[in-house]
Amino acid sequence: MTNYTYNTRAAANGTPIQLEFITGRECEADDVYRFEATSKLQWDKSGTLCTTPQPALVEWGTWQLLDQDTKLAINHQGNVQFPYTGAVTGPLHIRELNATTMLLETPEIQARDSIMTYTYRFVRQ
């Protein structure tokens, strides 16, 4: 994951706010996410670890393509969630998928008086 974006707007037609996060801490920036052919999602932190002791390779969960490959379901302990972001509801929308890039977006999330989405960008290594 090269970056993720947090978009929010007031539920009542408010002005949208967009915050982009690049996993800037060295211990996050070198992490690798492996979507394996066995439908397992591995989180490889074998570069610089944020805290020690910490396992270098974590079996994060499972993945599954849905709706004619337009959505991606992630199961991490019963939630759709990537590291560094909170759990979201429902499968992720696949906004772009090609040989080098995958762009995923969460469904809209209602939180108090605002509506938000996360967008995750992955680049093949």
Side-chain angles (χ1 to χ4, degrees), residues 21-67:
F21 298 91
I22 298 173
T23 52
R25 296 189 317 169
E26 185 177 319
C27 63
E28 297 170 355
D30 62 2
D31 292 358
V32 175
Y33 301 87
R34 292 189 179 114
F35 292 83
E36 298 188 355
T38 60
S39 297
K40 290 184 181 181
L41 176 56
Q42 302 280 347
W43 178 21
D44 186 349
K45 305 178 280 183
S46 60
T48 305
L49 299 176
C50 292
T51 59
T52 54
Q54 183 180 34
L57 185 64
V58 174
E59 191 169 296
W60 187 255
T62 59
W63 64 270
Q64 178 183 11
L65 290 171
L66 303 171
D67 295 345

Side-chain angles (χ1 to χ4, degrees), residues 7-124:
N7 297 289
T8 187
R9 63 179 165 76
N13 298 324
T15 304
I17 299 171
Q18 183 178 52
L19 302 171
E20 183 172 349
F21 298 91
I22 298 173
T23 52
R25 296 189 317 169
E26 185 177 319
C27 63
E28 297 170 355
D30 62 2
D31 292 358
V32 175
Y33 301 87
R34 292 189 179 114
F35 292 83
E36 298 188 355
T38 60
S39 297
K40 290 184 181 181
L41 176 56
Q42 302 280 347
W43 178 21
D44 186 349
K45 305 178 280 183
S46 60
T48 305
L49 299 176
C50 292
T51 59
T52 54
Q54 183 180 34
L57 185 64
V58 174
E59 191 169 296
W60 187 255
T62 59
W63 64 270
Q64 178 183 11
L65 290 171
L66 303 171
D67 295 345
Q68 298 178 344
D69 300 344
T70 62
K71 294 185 180 180
L72 178 68
I74 301 288
N75 183 350
H76 169 69
Q77 300 175 350
N79 293 310
V80 176
Q81 179 178 353
F82 284 112
Y84 314 119
T85 64
V88 298
T89 60
L92 303 165
H93 303 284
I94 300 173
R95 297 298 183 213
E96 180 180 351
L97 182 60
N98 58 47
T100 59
T101 304
M102 179 169 63
L103 186 65
L104 305 173
E105 184 179 84
T106 65
E108 288 189 339
I109 305 162
Q110 178 76 45
R112 296 187 188 177
D113 62 347
S114 63
I115 297 172
M116 43 187 193
T117 60
Y118 286 101
T119 304
Y120 307 99
R121 179 174 297 282
F122 293 84
V123 176
R124 184 176 185 181

